[in-house]
Amino acid sequence: LFLATLTYDTLRFEYEDFPETKEPVWILGQKYSVFTEKEEILLDVTSRLWFTYRRNFPAIGGTGPTSDTGWGCMLRCGQMIFAQALVCRHLGRDWRWIKGKRQVDNYFNVLNAFIDKKDSYYSIHQIAQMGVGEGKSIGQWYGPNTVAQVLKKLATFDTWSSLAVHIAMDNTVVMEEIRRLCQSNFPCAGAAACPAVESDVLYNGYPEEAGVRDRLSLWKPLVLLIPLRLGLTEINEAYIETLKHCFMMPQSLGVIGGKPNSAHYFIGYVGEELIYLDPHTTQPAVEPSDSGCLPDESFHCQHPPCRMSIAELDPSIAVGFFCNTEEDFNDWCQQIKKLSLVRGALPMFELVERQPSHFSNPDVLNLTPDSSDADRLERFFDSEDEDFEILSL
């Protein structure tokens, strides 16, 4: 049994510290110097929610797996990139986790949304079962696009966060489409038009004021996920500078991807290396204590993060961004437009105002390929670690 769950935990003493370099370290839109801000770098990394393989959680679907070791790494990476969106939404990008320090209630609300049980919004149970609708059986490996599609569906039930989740397909981000999505579901023109709300009513288990605040807003916070393929079997070097710039944007949620059949959550870079959190550590499932408190130390990576050469990155990735306000989104659009002018940086995707007439609406299409298409593409690439989306044009 011990050998079956032997993972990277036993090798932690081999983790390297950050190299002594004049190159800046970028972590999810924040810039650091190794020489003067090493503690700040490690605190920032430790503060990210770290989801890994777990064992002995309640069986998925009642009779399914009780551990995701060996198959759940991309699902865990999906949890991490989405958890970062919820942290930005409810706690702010500058929030920090300090071991032993009492955290605010919203922190535990975010963490509880990912706990390994069937009724958590984004639990391994929910992701695995929702993935069946995307053609993935429980226990099957996901690619970046599949986990993005599943998280988008699950987010519709998270009324506390009230997120607008958009997945940009065909390497194209349509600004008009996003604005329509983020400004929808707000029938109230202003506070006077909204009906009074009983103060003692809970909003999906959370204080009602969260729901009122969102209904009075003119913009639903945006989670933008962009599945991309940056090469055939290895990443095209022409995309590397553009990829680096994505980690420099304050709206950055990072990147999910990795190596074939081994997913990682990339949160930044230094020099020619990506910085990532690795889900390939099997830990026991966590349950609330008798007092109702949730032991949370195992959800934070308390050793230096892993690094790998950007050139080793598998070309199939999904890039994430969070825009809390319309101003954030407009700023992001301006940064993407400027990025197209950077010398030697090939754009990874196209930013357009309106949807090209020959496109179908990705929000209403079933974006999972049928079995014949998937089988044909799988044979062509001789790989099971990718998602290939077939659109009827």
Side-chain angles (χ1 to χ4, degrees):
L1 179 61
F2 173 75
L3 290 176
T5 57
L6 185 65
T7 58
Y8 297 166
D9 256 352
T10 56
L11 304 176
R12 280 192 175 182
F13 61 88
E14 294 185 3
Y15 279 113
E16 296 180 15
D17 207 343
F18 277 97
E20 297 294 323
T21 174
K22 293 181 180 179
E23 296 273 5
V25 176
W26 285 94
I27 304 288
L28 299 174
Q30 296 201 2
K31 183 180 180 181
Y32 298 99
S33 165
V34 174
F35 294 112
T36 61
E37 299 174 295
K38 183 175 287 188
E39 291 303 315
E40 287 86 347
I41 294 171
L42 295 177
L43 181 58
D44 196 347
V45 172
T46 299
S47 298
R48 301 314 109 212
L49 283 172
W50 180 45
F51 297 117
T52 70
Y53 291 150
R54 297 277 175 171
R55 62 178 182 271
N56 299 329
F57 51 65
I60 296 176
T63 58
T66 59
S67 172
D68 62 313
T69 299
W71 61 271
C73 55
M74 182 58 80
L75 284 69
R76 296 300 185 180
C77 290
Q79 286 183 321
M80 285 190 271
I81 197 171
F82 225 75
Q84 180 58 24
L86 264 63
V87 166
C88 291
R89 170 81 171 97
H90 299 293
L91 299 169
R93 174 62 184 89
D94 295 331
W95 168 85
R96 295 293 182 267
W97 180 85
I98 298 174
K99 185 176 179 179
K101 180 181 177 182
R102 178 173 173 80
Q103 293 294 336
V104 297
D105 289 345
N106 270 1
Y107 162 73
F108 289 104
N109 290 340
V110 170
L111 186 54
N112 271 303
F114 297 90
I115 293 298
D116 300 320
K117 56 183 183 179
K118 65 179 182 179
D119 55 348
S120 297
Y121 287 130
Y122 309 104
S123 66
I124 192 82
H125 299 64
Q126 293 281 9
I127 297 175
Q129 292 187 287
M130 186 66 80
V132 173
E134 292 293 316
K136 298 288 186 180
S137 58
I138 294 174
Q140 188 176 355
W141 204 88
Y142 284 25
N145 180 57
T146 296
V147 78
Q149 299 288 350
V150 168
L151 288 166
K152 174 182 176 178
K153 291 181 179 179
L154 293 175
T156 61
F157 301 98
D158 181 5
T159 50
W160 175 56
S161 299
S162 188
L163 298 170
V165 182
H166 181 75
I167 301 175
M169 300 304 297
D170 296 313
N171 303 338
T172 305
V173 177
V174 183
M175 291 182 280
E176 181 183 64
E177 208 167 72
I178 289 173
R179 291 194 178 95
R180 188 186 310 121
L181 177 68
C182 291
Q183 294 168 355
S184 65
N185 302 323
F186 293 109
C188 306
C194 291
V197 179
E198 295 293 331
S199 60
D200 59 348
V201 176
L202 290 181
Y203 191 68
N204 198 33
Y206 297 100
E208 175 63 30
E209 58 263 21
V212 173
R213 181 187 67 237
D214 294 335
R215 289 202 298 273
L216 296 179
S217 171
L218 298 178
W219 178 270
K220 291 179 73 173
L222 169 69
V223 176
L224 174 59
L225 300 172
I226 311 174
L228 299 166
R229 190 168 183 91
L230 305 180
L232 189 56
T233 57
E234 57 187 35
I235 187 170
N236 185 331
E237 289 184 3
Y239 293 119
I240 289 178
E241 283 304 311
T242 315
L243 182 62
K244 286 181 178 180
H245 274 77
C246 288
F247 292 109
M248 298 164 66
M249 298 178 185
Q251 296 87 351
S252 175
L253 289 178
V255 172
I256 53 176
K259 301 176 182 179
N261 295 311
S262 181
H264 304 313
Y265 173 42
F266 298 96
I267 58 174
Y269 80 95
V270 54
E272 297 305 312
E273 291 185 317
L274 293 172
I275 301 165
Y276 65 92
L277 296 179
D278 193 336
H280 299 89
T281 294
T282 301
Q283 303 186 86
V286 171
E287 295 185 8
S289 65
D290 293 338
S291 63
C293 181
L294 186 69
D296 66 337
E297 286 190 19
S298 67
F299 295 101
H300 296 275
C301 183
Q302 297 175 63
H303 55 75
C306 304
R307 304 192 314 275
M308 64 174 265
S309 169
I310 299 178
E312 295 177 23
L313 181 67
D314 188 88
S316 181
I317 65 171
V319 183
F321 301 97
F322 177 76
C323 300
N324 196 43
T325 65
E326 188 169 10
E327 290 73 23
D328 288 340
F329 178 64
N330 291 336
D331 176 72
W332 178 83
C333 291
Q334 291 303 313
Q335 291 183 73
I336 294 298
K337 290 174 183 177
K338 290 178 182 177
L339 186 53
S340 65
L341 304 176
V342 174
R343 193 171 183 179
L346 186 66
M348 297 190 301
F349 54 87
E350 186 179 6
L351 180 66
V352 298
E353 179 61 41
R354 293 179 180 80
Q355 192 175 69
S357 58
H358 61 278
F359 275 25
S360 298
N361 184 355
D363 285 330
V364 299
L365 279 177
N366 177 4
L367 295 173
T368 304
D370 64 34
S371 58
S372 60
D373 288 327
D375 290 345
R376 186 174 67 253
L377 284 166
E378 187 172 292
R379 288 194 301 272
F380 178 74
F381 287 102
D382 192 27
S383 169
E384 294 183 359
D385 66 294
E386 306 299 342
D387 292 321
F388 300 99
E389 308 308 324
I390 309 299
L391 291 175
S392 300
L393 299 182

